Amino acid sequence: MKRGRQAHSGEHSVADLVTPADNLLIDSLPPAVRTRLLAVCEPVALLPHAILCEQGQRSRAAYFPTDGAISLMTVVAGESNVEVARLGPEGMLGAHLALGISESPLRAVVCYPGSAWRLTSVALRRELNRGSALQRCCRRYLYLLTCQQATSVACERLHTIGARLARLLLMLCDRTRTRPLLVTHESLALTLGARRVSVTMAAGHLSRDGLITYHRGELQVLDRPGLESVACSCYAADRLEQQRWMPDPRAGTEVDLVPGSSMRRPPQRRST
């Protein structure tokens, strides 16, 4: 899907708009199910800071991002919102509808602009009732999201701000085609739940090590392997979980699991 394209009925056919792996969940569906689902979707832009659903309110639509990122936040009365998960082209917003639950458990806010397929909750329920393939994909994705949320909780508790920042930048690179990344230290600090000055210092270290450059809201990753080496173990753990539960269909059926075990790899503590 071309980034930022707005929906206009009849303007483009599905074949004109979709390329393989625009959205991993959709691309994982059998061809007939994928075609039927896309026929009731519309392409929309994910605009910066747009609120897609509110915690505790009925979800009116589901979104399958093809570019950009959506922040899932828990709302605590009298306190700042806290990000508990982030999703992009690997998944969907509204998977709880597959459980027969209309109420959104979290607030969803566009944290990085892009594009998505959107369909109404009524249309999604109709497609869910037509077969098990979409139900199975949604439930597997819900499990994956739960695993990633658990990893994020451990990450915030155990790992340094520098390692967590490296992980966040890698996640952004994975979910958006925009280069350089359009971010500010303030937005990164809000996502990480850290002080802005701490993020500025951590970014400075990454810059001096030749891993990134940052100038006036534009961040460029110069050395991705180097950035991966300083990121906390949670980044690799998230990728492993995604390979296991939502493997890329273009990569075949082989899934790289932890040797000798089907258990999740726990986050490892980094020295401060």
Side-chain angles (χ1 to χ4, degrees):
M1 181 188 295
K2 293 183 179 180
R3 185 169 176 266
R5 185 188 297 274
Q6 294 288 348
H8 295 286
S9 177
E11 181 182 350
H12 297 279
S13 69
V14 168
D16 290 332
L17 291 166
V18 178
T19 56
D22 269 351
N23 178 275
L24 183 58
L25 194 154
I26 291 179
D27 205 42
S28 299
L29 294 169
V33 179
R34 181 168 65 243
T35 300
R36 193 172 64 230
L37 179 66
L38 289 171
V40 294
C41 290
E42 60 175 353
V44 296
L46 296 178
L47 302 178
H49 314 301
I51 299 175
L52 303 181
C53 65
E54 285 285 8
Q55 179 176 309
Q57 295 186 8
R58 182 181 296 272
S59 297
R60 298 182 181 276
Y63 295 80
F64 296 86
T66 58
D67 187 23
I70 298 171
S71 175
L72 301 181
M73 314 185 81
T74 184
V75 180
V76 181
E79 302 289 345
S80 299
N81 299 333
V82 178
E83 181 177 282
V84 297
R86 178 171 292 212
L87 62 93
E90 80 286 352
M92 67 176 292
L93 174 64
H96 59 277
L97 294 167
L99 303 178
I101 300 173
S102 299
E103 185 176 293
S104 175
L106 299 165
R107 168 183 282 182
V109 181
V110 177
C111 59
Y112 203 93
S115 52
W117 290 108
R118 180 178 66 190
L119 75 164
T120 66
S121 58
V122 173
L124 178 61
R125 286 195 195 92
R126 184 168 56 245
E127 294 304 314
L128 287 166
N129 291 333
R130 294 185 66 173
S132 61
L134 182 56
Q135 293 178 9
R136 188 163 52 248
C137 270
C138 288
R139 290 169 181 170
R140 289 172 73 89
Y141 177 65
L142 277 171
Y143 179 82
L144 173 62
L145 196 60
T146 300
C147 292
Q148 292 175 343
Q149 288 174 322
T151 299
S152 292
V153 171
C155 183
E156 186 172 353
R157 177 70 176 85
L158 299 175
H159 297 149
T160 64
I161 186 64
R164 291 169 56 212
L165 175 61
R167 176 197 179 211
L168 175 58
L169 296 178
L170 289 167
M171 290 169 64
L172 282 175
C173 287
D174 292 342
R175 290 181 167 105
T176 179
R177 293 187 286 268
T178 304
R179 298 293 184 273
L181 297 173
L182 306 178
V183 295
T184 65
H185 287 181
E186 184 176 359
S187 66
L188 293 172
L190 181 63
T191 299
L192 293 169
R195 297 167 57 213
R196 184 182 182 280
V197 64
S198 299
V199 171
T200 298
M201 292 177 62
H205 285 303
L206 296 178
S207 179
R208 285 191 292 274
D209 289 341
L211 304 180
I212 66 170
T213 59
Y214 180 82
H215 182 67
R216 295 184 177 180
E218 294 188 353
L219 189 148
Q220 184 78 43
V221 174
L222 301 178
D223 182 358
R224 180 175 176 118
L227 195 62
E228 290 180 358
S229 70
V230 301
C232 62
S233 59
C234 296
Y235 177 71
D238 281 345
R239 294 296 295 270
L240 185 69
E241 291 294 347
Q242 183 171 313
Q243 285 179 331
R244 182 182 179 192
W245 296 105
M246 297 292 296
D248 191 329
R250 297 175 305 171
T253 57
E254 294 296 323
V255 180
D256 183 20
L257 297 177
V258 180
S261 173
S262 62
M263 301 298 291
R264 300 180 62 227
R265 187 196 304 273
Q268 301 172 356
R269 184 186 297 271
R270 271 190 182 272
S271 59
T272 57

